[in-house]
Amino acid sequence: MRIAPVVTLSPEQRTVLESRARSRSLPVRVVERARIVLLAAAGLQDKEIAARMATTPKKVSRWRKRFLALGVAGLEKDAPRRGRKPTIDARLRQRVVTMTTRQPPTNATHWSTRTMATAVGISEASVRRIWRAHGLKPHRVETTLVRSERESGLGATPAWATGCEHIHLHSPWL
């Protein structure tokens, strides 16, 4: 039989845990954790505590170890979790941003979520989330994209536009 580590409490820790265990205004999980540690300090094993509190021995063991490692503060919050894996990889996100800022759509003045989603092959909501994360608002842009010579069909790019990505529509020389 495996023996759980011994929990010893200082008088300050005991008073804090007892007040939390009696509390009616704290979240239930904090009260439950305090009761687990108090029963562990009384010398009970994980299986006995789990049977008394109608929980699993794994949960009792987790909070016993957390208290021994971090003290009373370790009982207040859950450990941070990894979260959900991103379904859209960074390369595809970068492609959406690049297309939005550098490539104008065909037969339109700016990208919409629908046209971008169709062009890239993801959902409209995903395009919207990517644009929001990068602060992009293609429908509110006051600039137009400079097309290359081949795309525009106008011949050479003017000397003053060479190296520019955007031409401001409200500039005084236009």
Side-chain angles (χ1 to χ4, degrees):
M1 182 168 118
R2 193 174 69 86
I3 305 295
V6 178
V7 175
T8 55
L9 299 175
S10 68
E12 297 85 24
Q13 288 176 329
R14 183 171 294 279
T15 56
V16 169
L17 289 173
E18 286 174 350
S19 68
R20 286 185 183 179
R22 285 190 311 265
S23 177
R24 296 174 58 100
S25 61
L26 287 174
V28 173
R29 68 181 77 153
V30 175
V31 173
E32 182 183 42
R33 294 168 190 172
R35 287 180 182 159
I36 287 171
V37 173
L38 285 171
L39 290 172
L44 296 174
Q45 292 299 310
D46 292 344
K47 288 184 180 181
E48 296 168 333
I49 297 171
R52 279 195 189 184
M53 302 217 29
T55 186
T56 63
K58 184 177 180 180
K59 187 176 193 179
V60 174
S61 174
R62 177 187 313 128
W63 292 112
R64 180 191 294 259
K65 290 176 184 174
R66 180 86 59 88
F67 177 78
L68 291 172
L70 302 173
V72 177
L75 303 177
E76 294 172 1
K77 291 187 178 179
D78 291 343
R81 296 190 181 110
R82 188 184 88 207
R84 186 173 154 188
K85 288 183 182 179
T87 56
I88 300 173
D89 63 337
R91 196 178 314 149
L92 188 56
R93 287 177 173 270
Q94 186 59 41
R95 182 173 171 215
V96 170
V97 171
T98 303
M99 285 179 70
T100 304
T101 57
R102 304 200 190 267
Q103 297 176 3
T106 55
N107 302 326
T109 57
H110 60 273
W111 287 104
S112 69
T113 55
R114 290 182 183 143
T115 56
M116 179 60 73
T118 304
V120 179
I122 59 176
S123 70
E124 296 173 37
S126 297
V127 171
R128 202 172 297 115
R129 282 191 296 268
I130 292 169
W131 283 355
R132 190 178 308 124
H134 289 86
L136 296 173
K137 297 180 181 179
H139 61 285
R140 298 197 59 191
V141 174
E142 295 179 357
T143 61
T144 184
L145 297 168
V146 175
R147 295 177 183 236
S148 67
E149 297 169 13
R150 280 178 266 126
E151 292 174 350
S152 65
L154 298 175
T157 306
W160 56 271
T162 305
C164 295
E165 290 180 7
H166 297 85
I167 301 171
H168 202 281
L169 291 178
H170 300 293
S171 60
W173 56 84
L174 288 180

